[in-house]
């Protein structure tokens, strides 16, 4: 049901302090995260091998974590290294350790075969540099399965309706035009122009407008990769109206008036609950000129994500009521179907190998 050999977002870096263990469930497996003295993160199964008490209610001690029931202490590899009142420790006294990697303000865990953990397939693109972008970070818990959220993010036609008054700015172009979609090895690429849309000032608060002298209508370029297991790397640019047509609706080659980046990750908690982590922000050069821009944009985006949450949770509820009813496909489902076939292929390849 879940792909295992991939990196799942387990937490935002800021959530994991130097001293407190953090409990997180990823693909139905409870984990405890903690930091070693040098700050590097550790992920272990959240279950003491003695009497199964969660380690997440234990205590960080140096590079290890102590279960605060009978005091067993586990190192970062999951080996029990201390049993109070007992000198010998059997080799079987251990808990599973998961590969964990921290980058760009995110903590990623590898839920499959540890030997196959490969940082080259981390969804964060190598070109991403925190210095270039003024990112803000957040997370939403959803009472909905992760596939419904992946579906939502692979088809932005919903913007016209779910986000009618926020991201869509009252326009239906998102639903009335189709994006370019191409297949990638581990996902899909979605690209489109929304031409001649309202100025950015109309969907951002007035004092957050990055270009007060911008023309009254703008062309918006939206391009994202949606990658296994549910990570979206999205760049949005605003250009003077007419740019999209001049570029023959291909990727812009000129400097935008405004650009922002979004990195979003959907992590299954259980089969019907998920966490949606997100980070987004404009270019740092823009916020140096307009200091309020990043937080205003972030607040606007959080409102929009709440609209998604309400819709997808209501959809999940109806799927419970009508578990056997078929879904009917429309043209806008192309990205959704391509992405689910990538997920299916990787699940099939994994088979029982984990
Ligand atoms: S349950 Fe952890 S030490 Fe006993
Ligand atoms: Fe949405």
């Amino acid at each position: 049901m879940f792909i295992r050999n991939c990196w799942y977002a387990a937490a935002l870096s800021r959530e994991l302090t130097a001293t407190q263990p953090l409990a997180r469930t990823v693909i139905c497996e409870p984990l405890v995260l903690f930091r070693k003295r040098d700050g590097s993160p550790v992920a272990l199964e959240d279950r003491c091998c003695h009497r199964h008490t969660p380690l997440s209610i234990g205590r960080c001690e140096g590079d290890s974590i102590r279960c605060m029931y009978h005091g067993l202490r586990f190192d970062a590899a999951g080996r029990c290294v201390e049993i109070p009142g007992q000198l010998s420790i059997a080799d079987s006294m251990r808990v599973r350790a998961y590969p964990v990697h921290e980058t760009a303000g995110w903590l990623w865990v590898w839920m499959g075969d540890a030997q196959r953990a490969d940082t080259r397939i981390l969804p964060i693109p190598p070109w991403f540099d925190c210095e270039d972008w003024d990112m803000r970070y957040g997370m939403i818990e959803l009472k909905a399965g992760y596939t419904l959220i992946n579906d939502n993010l692979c088809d932005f036609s919903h913007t016209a309706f779910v986000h009618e008054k926020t991201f869509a700015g009252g326009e239906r172009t998102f639903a009335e035009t189709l994006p370019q979609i191409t297949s990638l090895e581990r996902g899909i690429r979605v690209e489109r122009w929304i031409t001649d849309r309202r100025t950015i000032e109309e969907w951002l608060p007035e004092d957050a407008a990055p270009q007060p002298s911008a023309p009254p209508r703008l062309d918006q370029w939206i391009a994202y990769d949606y990658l296994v297991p549910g990570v979206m790397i999205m760049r949005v640019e605003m250009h003077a109206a007419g740019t999209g047509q001049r570029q023959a609706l291909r990727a812009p080659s000129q400097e935008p008036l405004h650009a922002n980046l979004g990195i979003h990750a959907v992590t299954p908690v259980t089969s019907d609950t998920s966490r949606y982590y997100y980070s987004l922000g404009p270019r740092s050069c823009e916020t140096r000129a307009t200091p309020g821009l990043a937080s205003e944009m972030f607040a606007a985006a959080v409102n929009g994500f709440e609209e998604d949450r309400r819709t997808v949770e209501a959809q999940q509820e109806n799927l419970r009521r009508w578990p056997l009813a078929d879904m009917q496909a429309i043209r806008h489902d192309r990205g959704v179907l391509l992405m689910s076939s990538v997920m299916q292929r990787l699940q099939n390849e994994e088979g029982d190998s984990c």
Side-chain angles (χ1 to χ4, degrees), residues 104 106 124-125 127-130 132-137 223-225 232-237 258-264 278-284 286 297-298 301 305:
W106 300 72
I124 297 289
W127 50 260
F128 174 71
D129 183 342
C130 296
D132 296 341
W133 303 91
D134 191 353
M135 303 298 269
R136 300 285 188 275
Y137 294 77
Y224 63 92
D225 286 352
M232 181 168 72
I233 314 289
M234 179 167 72
R235 184 182 168 101
V236 176
E237 295 183 2
H258 159 81
N260 65 68
L261 183 73
I263 301 178
H264 306 229
Y278 52 90
S279 63
L280 56 104
R283 293 177 296 184
S284 302
E286 291 181 40
M297 280 189 60
F298 188 76
F305 299 156

Side-chain angles (χ1 to χ4, degrees), residues 26-324:
V26 176
I27 61 167
C28 302
E29 294 184 20
L31 308 179
V32 56
L33 303 171
F34 65 95
R35 289 193 189 277
K36 295 201 285 187
R37 276 171 298 198
D38 65 2
S40 57
V42 176
L44 302 178
E45 183 180 5
D46 193 11
R47 179 186 63 85
C48 174
C49 64
H50 176 222
R51 295 282 173 192
H52 300 189
T53 307
L55 293 173
S56 55
I57 59 169
R59 183 166 72 200
C60 296
E61 291 188 11
D63 291 348
S64 61
I65 188 164
R66 188 183 295 279
C67 175
M68 290 302 281
Y69 197 174
H70 311 96
L72 270 63
R73 190 162 61 83
F74 299 86
D75 70 10
R79 272 190 314 262
C80 180
V81 291
E82 183 188 344
I83 303 176
Q86 178 177 326
L87 286 179
S88 66
I89 302 176
D91 202 43
S92 59
M93 299 292 285
R94 56 175 60 236
V95 297
R96 181 174 173 185
Y98 296 79
V100 54
H101 191 81
E102 184 164 27
T103 183
W106 300 72
L107 286 155
W108 304 89
V109 288
W110 180 272
M111 299 302 290
D113 177 358
Q115 302 296 324
R116 293 176 60 184
D118 182 353
T119 52
R120 288 170 307 178
I121 58 168
L122 268 169
I124 297 289
W127 50 260
F128 174 71
D129 183 342
C130 296
E131 298 291 308
D132 296 341
W133 303 91
D134 191 353
M135 303 298 269
R136 300 285 188 275
Y137 294 77
M139 188 268 290
I140 311 176
E141 291 179 288
L142 291 103
K143 295 188 192 75
Y146 79 110
T147 53
L148 297 186
I149 308 163
N150 280 356
D151 294 353
N152 168 286
L153 293 168
C154 287
D155 171 16
F156 274 18
S157 70
H158 77 267
T159 304
F161 301 98
V162 173
H163 309 299
E164 188 176 30
K165 296 194 172 61
T166 52
F167 301 140
E171 297 180 358
R172 289 178 57 158
T173 325
F174 277 97
E176 285 167 352
T177 61
L178 293 168
Q180 282 264 348
I181 302 177
T182 41
S183 289
L184 305 172
E185 172 60 23
R186 294 177 68 83
I188 58 170
R189 176 162 296 164
V190 182
E191 299 167 299
R192 79 186 314 163
W193 283 95
I194 301 289
T195 56
D196 196 32
R197 69 169 299 171
R198 284 184 198 174
T199 61
I200 195 166
E201 291 93 331
E202 287 170 47
W203 55 276
L204 285 179
E206 221 171 276
D207 60 354
Q211 295 285 332
S213 57
R217 307 288 291 188
L218 291 170
D219 286 358
Q220 184 180 32
W221 167 253
I222 302 169
Y224 63 92
D225 286 352
Y226 205 82
L227 303 168
V228 169
V231 180
M232 181 168 72
I233 314 289
M234 179 167 72
R235 184 182 168 101
V236 176
E237 295 183 2
M238 300 306 263
H239 292 263
T243 308
Q245 293 304 334
R246 278 196 299 281
Q247 300 273 165
L249 298 182
R250 282 197 281 274
S253 54
Q254 64 200 69
E255 195 56 15
L257 298 170
H258 159 81
N260 65 68
L261 183 73
I263 301 178
H264 306 229
V266 181
T267 298
V269 176
T270 62
S271 59
D272 57 3
T273 58
S274 311
R275 282 175 183 262
Y276 178 21
Y277 299 93
Y278 52 90
S279 63
L280 56 104
R283 293 177 296 184
S284 302
C285 59
E286 291 181 40
T287 50
R288 280 193 286 275
T290 314
L293 179 62
S295 20
E296 298 290 356
M297 280 189 60
F298 188 76
V302 169
N303 282 340
F305 299 156
E306 273 302 303
E307 294 167 337
D308 285 311
R309 187 185 61 73
R310 282 196 295 275
T311 305
V312 173
E313 287 185 347
Q315 182 192 12
Q316 178 73 73
E317 195 49 40
N318 254 4
L319 290 172
R320 272 187 211 107
R321 288 187 190 125
W322 283 282
L324 301 176

